[in-house]
């Protein structure tokens, strides 16, 4: 029989592995411990406070357990606590201290939550976000509340500007969460909830539905792209424009295929006869970084695979497979890739 032998370096390896694994979630584009806004920073401070209080309590309980084990060794009779001392320990340790900690956390949480939009009367930008099955629709509104542009699963906002999100759902409860920028806010059918963001740095941050909403809950993500003010204004102006007319013969045939295959029944492409409302607006599909609610990158291969067999990627989603001749399928991809 062979025995597994660990080298002398193994303890050092595991000693380094444990902290690395523990801290692996403390950074990145979807971490509440890597805040990129003042609101997210406040949430991070509360998290570290909770960790500190919990650590102190764990150490205290462990010390008491070790003391009890040491005093009870050898099964010899030892003098214990008096009834008064025992009751004082129960009242203080089991009632007073937990109540103090819970009330402190609740009060600080309410303070942080109320501070997200404190003192704000008029937003710099308003975006209506709707939770679908299982993707996100984002509609940019002007000062009068009229829609300017609609996109899906990729939300652009300007840096250092107060953005108000109006959150809706037409199916089940979802939860809008961008860990680097803000806490969670639910989308409840029949109710319009509200949350605010003010990003402090440009970058791309991943958001996620944080409320179990069905079979594809885990693949209901989105991106928040924080642009400079000039870049955002340019992006929104481009998104508000209708789709460009196809310029190549393949793209022209691709638009015809799109309409004949029935894609227009579910999708809108502004500037064409496609006015469907069940699926995402595809007017500027090729400008987006991802497909299928941030499930995969927006490349030709992934786009073709998604159109041909969407159930393979996200079983249970509402999009049917699109079956057309290979030549027409290539034309369809050429047209969709021209929608920038």
């Amino acid at each position: 029989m062979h025995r597994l032998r660990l080298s002398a370096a193994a303890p050092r390896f595991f000693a380094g592995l444990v902290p690395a694994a523990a801290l692996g979630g403390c950074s990145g584009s979807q971490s509440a411990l890597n805040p990129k806004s003042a609101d997210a920073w406040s949430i991070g401070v509360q998290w570290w406070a909770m960790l500190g209080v919990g650590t102190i309590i764990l150490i205290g309980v462990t010390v008491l357990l070790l003391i009890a084990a040491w005093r009870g060794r050898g099964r010899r009779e030892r003098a214990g606590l008096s009834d008064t001392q025992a009751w004082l320990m129960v009242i203080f340790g089991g009632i007073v201290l937990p109540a103090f900690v819970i009330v402190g956390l609740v009060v600080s949480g309410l303070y942080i939550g109320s501070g997200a939009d404190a003192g704000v009367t008029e937003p710099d930008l308003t975006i209506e976000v709707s939770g679908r099955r299982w993707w996100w629709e984002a509609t940019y509104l002007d000062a009068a509340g009229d829609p300017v542009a609609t996109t899906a699963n990729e939300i652009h906002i300007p840096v250092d500007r107060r953005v108000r999100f109006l959150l809706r759902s037409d199916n089940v409860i979802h939860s809008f969460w961008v860990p680097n920028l803000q806490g969670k806010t639910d989308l409840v059918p029949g109710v319009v909830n509200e949350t605010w963001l003010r990003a402090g740095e440009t970058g791309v941050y991943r958001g996620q539905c944080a409320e179990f909403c069905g079979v594809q809950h885990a693949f209901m993500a989105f991106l928040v792209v924080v642009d400079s003010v000039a870049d955002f204004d340019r992006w929104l102006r481009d998104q508000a424009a209708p789709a460009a007319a196809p310029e190549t013969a393949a793209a022209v045939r691709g638009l015809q295929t799109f309409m004949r295959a029935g894609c227009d029944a579910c999708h809108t492409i502004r500037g064409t006869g496609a006015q469907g409302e069940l699926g995402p607006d595809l007017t500027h599909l090729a400008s987006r970084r991802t497909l299928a609610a941030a499930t995969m990158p927006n490349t030709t291969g992934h786009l073709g695979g998604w159109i041909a067999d969407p159930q393979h990627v996200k079983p249970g989603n509402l999009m049917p497979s699109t079956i057309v001749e290979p030549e027409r399928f290539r034309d369809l991809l050429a047209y969709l890739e021209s929608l920038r």
Side-chain angles (χ1 to χ4, degrees):
M1 180 182 294
H2 296 283
R3 292 184 178 180
L4 179 64
R5 296 182 179 274
L6 296 178
S7 68
R12 294 194 298 272
F13 170 77
F14 286 107
L17 180 63
V18 172
L23 297 174
C26 297
S27 63
S29 62
Q30 191 173 344
S31 172
L33 303 182
N34 183 28
K36 299 300 180 181
S37 73
D39 296 327
W41 182 86
S42 298
I43 295 172
V45 168
Q46 186 181 39
W47 187 92
W48 285 110
M50 291 173 61
L51 177 64
V53 172
T55 301
I56 292 172
I57 294 174
L58 175 62
I59 292 173
V61 171
T62 303
V63 169
L64 291 175
L65 179 62
L66 294 175
I67 291 174
W70 180 81
R71 288 173 60 88
R73 73 190 192 286
R75 300 180 181 275
R76 294 193 299 271
E77 292 292 333
R78 293 180 181 270
L81 298 176
S82 66
D83 290 344
T84 301
Q85 291 173 324
W87 274 109
L88 286 174
M89 180 174 288
V90 170
I91 293 173
F92 179 77
I95 300 176
V96 176
L97 182 59
F100 178 79
V101 172
I102 292 173
V103 170
L105 291 175
V106 170
V107 171
S108 64
L110 291 174
Y111 175 78
I112 292 172
S114 63
D117 56 356
V120 179
T121 56
E122 291 295 332
D124 298 307
L125 175 68
T126 298
I127 305 174
E128 183 178 273
V129 174
S130 299
R132 307 296 190 186
R133 291 174 50 191
W134 285 269
W135 56 281
W136 303 87
E137 182 178 65
T139 301
Y140 290 74
L141 306 180
D142 61 16
D146 297 322
V148 175
T150 300
T151 185
N153 306 313
E154 183 171 312
I155 302 171
H156 286 242
I157 62 174
V159 68
D160 201 30
R161 294 291 187 271
R162 242 1 212 182
V163 183
R164 178 176 63 183
F165 288 87
L166 304 178
L167 306 176
R168 305 174 182 269
S169 173
D170 64 355
N171 46 92
V172 299
I173 297 176
H174 302 282
S175 191
F176 183 82
W177 186 34
V178 192
N180 299 92
L181 303 177
Q182 186 53 282
K184 305 170 185 176
T185 306
D186 285 348
L187 292 75
V188 181
V191 178
V192 180
N193 283 337
E194 186 176 292
T195 191
W196 295 70
L197 293 183
R198 184 170 187 168
E201 296 182 21
T202 59
V204 181
Y205 306 103
R206 191 175 188 272
Q208 179 71 45
C209 178
E211 181 80 22
F212 180 72
C213 57
V215 64
Q216 286 303 322
H217 162 71
F219 291 100
M220 187 175 172
F222 59 98
L223 299 180
V224 174
V225 182
V226 182
D227 296 318
S228 67
V229 175
D231 287 344
F232 171 78
D233 290 342
R234 187 182 309 110
W235 176 87
L236 185 58
R237 184 171 58 252
D238 292 342
Q239 293 293 311
E247 297 180 351
T248 66
V252 171
R253 293 192 299 269
L255 174 57
Q256 295 171 351
T257 300
F258 184 90
M259 304 297 288
R260 291 171 181 170
C263 304
D264 60 315
C266 296
H267 296 284
T268 290
I269 299 180
R270 284 177 279 119
T272 73
Q275 299 296 321
E277 297 181 352
L278 294 178
D281 186 306
L282 303 181
T283 304
H284 299 288
L285 170 67
S287 69
R288 300 170 193 164
R289 290 168 168 79
T290 65
L291 299 169
T295 301
M296 52 191 175
N298 188 1
T299 64
T300 303
H302 284 107
L303 179 60
W306 170 250
I307 295 172
D309 190 6
Q311 299 303 317
H312 177 75
V313 179
K314 294 180 69 168
N317 81 88
L318 301 184
M319 180 171 171
S321 300
T322 302
I323 308 300
V324 296
E325 298 82 359
E327 294 79 7
R328 301 283 81 81
F329 193 81
R330 286 192 290 269
D331 293 339
L332 177 60
L333 289 179
Y335 173 65
L336 294 176
E337 290 188 315
S338 73
L339 299 175
R340 297 195 174 275

